[in-house]
Amino acid sequence: MLKSMLLGGLVSTSLLLTPVTVRAQAGQLTVPQSSTQAVSPTSVTPIELQQFVQAIKQLQVVDRQNQQKMAKVLQDEGLSPQRFSEIGRSLQRGVNPADPISEDEKQKFQRAIEKMGKIQQESLPKQQRAISMQGLQIERFRQIDIAVQQDTTLRKRVEQMLGNPTQ
């Protein structure tokens, strides 16, 4: 579901910090990170795993809100998601798109990026609150996230708890 969201993957929701990717319901969310050491999957308690899953659910809500705001930004700037994506790829990789990018489009793109950055920055406290309200410290959430990413069994448990059983 989140994977199909409008700007998924194009605009990092790292909130100006290096992200740790949280896999959730066939999509991705990002949570700000500092240097975090990996945790043994066996050191994640069932209670912590439940807190982690509940935090992910809250982070998904914040992410959906951000995606809606970003879609509105694109609409206000007169850029389709496809064109925004094409311009972004072109500017990032230096590849010429099928349709040349006008100066007006470059300016619209830049304004959209700036507005999206503000949206992301404003959501940082919401993300942090979503985690801490579940009883986890941000650092512990990051450690569990790393353990989940590295351990297939743990990842499958999280996916099942999120209501996304693996196939």
Side-chain angles (χ1 to χ4, degrees), residues 78-141:
L79 291 171
S80 71
Q82 295 78 15
R83 186 62 177 161
F84 176 82
S85 178
E86 187 176 87
I87 293 168
R89 281 191 306 270
S90 173
L91 294 175
Q92 186 177 29
R93 297 183 187 142
V95 176
N96 291 328
D99 291 328
I101 303 169
S102 69
E103 270 309 306
D104 183 50
E105 284 181 312
K106 286 181 184 178
Q107 291 174 358
K108 289 178 179 182
F109 179 85
Q110 187 58 42
R111 282 193 304 264
I113 289 293
E114 289 171 11
K115 290 175 184 178
M116 289 176 182
K118 288 179 185 176
I119 290 168
Q120 293 169 339
Q121 188 174 10
E122 291 169 358
S123 75
L124 179 58
K126 292 177 187 176
Q127 289 182 341
Q128 292 171 336
R129 217 174 13 259
I131 293 168
S132 63
M133 287 181 66
Q134 298 307 318
L136 289 173
Q137 296 294 318
I138 302 297
E139 191 66 20
R140 183 62 179 156
F141 179 89

Side-chain angles (χ1 to χ4, degrees), residues 1-2 5-8 13 60-76 81 116 119:
M1 181 170 125
L2 291 175
M5 294 301 269
L6 182 59
L7 301 173
T13 54
Q60 289 173 330
V61 171
V62 173
D63 187 60
R64 280 190 293 274
Q65 292 168 348
N66 286 349
Q67 294 293 336
Q68 290 170 354
K69 289 176 185 178
M70 290 179 191
K72 174 91 169 86
V73 165
L74 288 183
Q75 182 180 7
D76 292 348
M116 289 176 182
I119 290 168

